[in-house]
Structure formats: C-alpha cells, structure tokens
Amino acid sequence: MEESSYSNLSTSHLLGSVPAVTNEEKKASYEVPEANMQIFPPNNGSGGGRGRGYQTLEAPTEEFEQQPPNNWSGVFSISSYTQYFNVDTDVVIYRLISSFYPVTGDFFSKIDANPDLYGLIWITTTLVFMLASFGNWATYLMQKHSDGTTSWSFDVGYINAAAVGIYGYAVVVPMSFKFLLQYLGSNASLVRFWCMWGYSFSIFIPTALLLLIPVEILRWIIILIAGSASSCFVALNLKSYIEGANDLKMMVVAAFLLQMALAIFIKVWFFP
C-alpha cells in the first residue's frame, strides 16, 4: 500500500526530474545506408604510372620478342641470352630429330622464329661427359682385348680435353663465321649460328656409344659416317642461309672441313 501511494505522487515539480520514456521513443528505427560502390578506372598507365587503379584479374599473356645482340656489349652480356632458354621440350626433341636429316638444309627456317641456346648447352655438355667416360672405357676394352695382363687406370685428362675441345669449338667456330660474314657484308645471326652448330653435335652422342666396339676399322667407318652427316648438316644449312652470295661459297667448304676435323679429333683423341 505504501509503495503504491508513493508512486501516485506528482514529481513534475521536482528539480532535475526526468520524464518517463514512452514506448514510441523506445522504438527507434535505424536504417542501414545503401552501399555506394565506387568503380575505379582501369590502370592504363596514365599520369606517369603513379596510380595503380582498378585492375582486372586475367591470365597473363607472354610475349617474347627476341632481340639479337647487335653490338659488342650485347654479345658479351649474359642477360642478352636468357630469353633463348625459354623453349619447350617437344621443340628441342623436334630439332634434335631434324639434325639427323642433314640433306634437307632447312634448319634455319625451323628456328627462325625462336632460336634457342638450350640445345647447344645440353648437347655439348652431354657429349663432353660421354666422350670422357666412353673414351676411357674404349681404352680399357682395347687394352684387355690386346693384352689382358696389363693394368689399366682412368685417364682424367679425357675430361679436360673433351671440355676444351667441344666447348671451345661450339663457341669459337660459330662466332668466327658470324663476324667473318658480317665483315664481308652479309647479315648473320650469332644466336642462330650457335643454335645450328649446337644441334649438329647431336649425332656424335650415339656415335660415342658405337665407338666402344673394339674393332678399329669399324670405328673409322662409324666416325666417318657420323662426321659426314654432321658436316653436310652444317654446310647445307649454311649454304641456304647465305644463298645468293656466290663469293661466300668458300665459307661453306670451310664449315664442312672444320666439322670433319672435329669428327677425326674425336676418333683420334678419345678412341685411339
């Protein structure tokens, strides 16, 4: 009873009194503002490229424009040749197979759009190790075939000879032909020469395996056939490359003889 009487007292005259909150005031409604999405313009590189802008996610397009090294600084710069190692395996295999058909003479047309240096490095390195290992193995077989009582030891010098001979030939000979042709007024591509000469060594890889046969006359027949095939491959492709320049035909003959000299060097030095 006392509590109900206290509640009926008027409190409006009291200083600092707070009026009662009505139900309408309690029902405060809050409206969520609509999202205003701002679309940024694509990044077209305007404004000096300072703003990133909105960029769409899409598959990157790879466009490789191979620029041959035209000056001396480009020739001796490693960064100038990194683009020539971007080649697929099936392309390398196709070019390897093409190098075993020397009579076509169209290798430069096959590599014109995308010459590579991967084949040069891979083939020459494989050939160096095969000549060093199989050369020692052939020496062992020949020694056991002639005199089984003599002791045999591994000749480490074969590795040095193979590395100097193969790497030196693969780099110096194409470079010499490039600068000589350029001096004579013919346009020549050093990368394409390196690519062509590199694939010309591929026939010597299975030849090194066949030279393990301990029959001297058969070894000479094998190396002469392989050398002739490799020499024809280089000479015919070089002829098609400089076609029309009659005064440069001696270059083709020189390339043929140098390739035959390489084949004879392989036989005499590693498979005596």
Side-chain angles (χ1 to χ4, degrees), residues 202-218:
S202 59
I203 195 172
F204 293 120
I205 294 177
T207 301
L209 180 62
L210 294 176
L211 290 176
L212 289 175
I213 301 174
V215 179
E216 186 65 15
I217 184 64
L218 187 57

Side-chain angles (χ1 to χ4, degrees), residues 109 133 144 186 213:
S109 63
S133 58
K144 290 296 182 182
S186 177
I213 301 174

Side-chain angles (χ1 to χ4, degrees), residues 7 48 58 62 108 122 128 131 166 169 184 221 224 260 264:
S7 63
E58 58 183 3
E62 297 180 355
F108 281 112
W122 181 78
V128 165
L131 290 179
I166 300 302
Y169 186 97
L184 295 176
I221 294 175
L224 289 177
M260 283 299 299
I264 295 174

Side-chain angles (χ1 to χ4, degrees), residues 103-204:
V103 295
T104 56
D106 59 347
F107 189 78
F108 281 112
S109 63
K110 297 177 181 178
I111 67 172
D112 186 63
N114 183 27
D116 71 279
L117 297 179
Y118 178 82
L120 170 69
I121 302 299
W122 181 78
I123 293 172
T124 53
T125 303
T126 304
L127 184 59
V128 165
F129 282 99
M130 290 191 69
L131 290 179
S133 58
F134 287 172
N136 277 280
W137 195 1
T139 305
Y140 170 77
L141 293 177
M142 292 294 291
Q143 188 170 337
K144 290 296 182 182
H145 182 74
S146 58
D147 187 5
T149 60
T150 307
S151 60
W152 175 84
S153 60
F154 185 86
D155 190 357
V156 185
Y158 276 21
I159 300 178
N160 298 328
V164 173
I166 300 302
Y167 287 139
Y169 186 97
V171 173
V172 174
V173 171
M175 187 179 293
S176 301
F177 273 84
K178 183 260 190 285
F179 290 123
L180 185 57
L181 287 174
Q182 188 173 4
Y183 175 78
L184 295 176
S186 177
N187 188 17
S189 172
L190 179 59
V191 174
R192 286 171 175 79
F193 278 8
W194 271 335
C195 181
M196 188 267 293
W197 255 282
Y199 282 99
S200 71
F201 297 149
S202 59
I203 195 172
F204 293 120

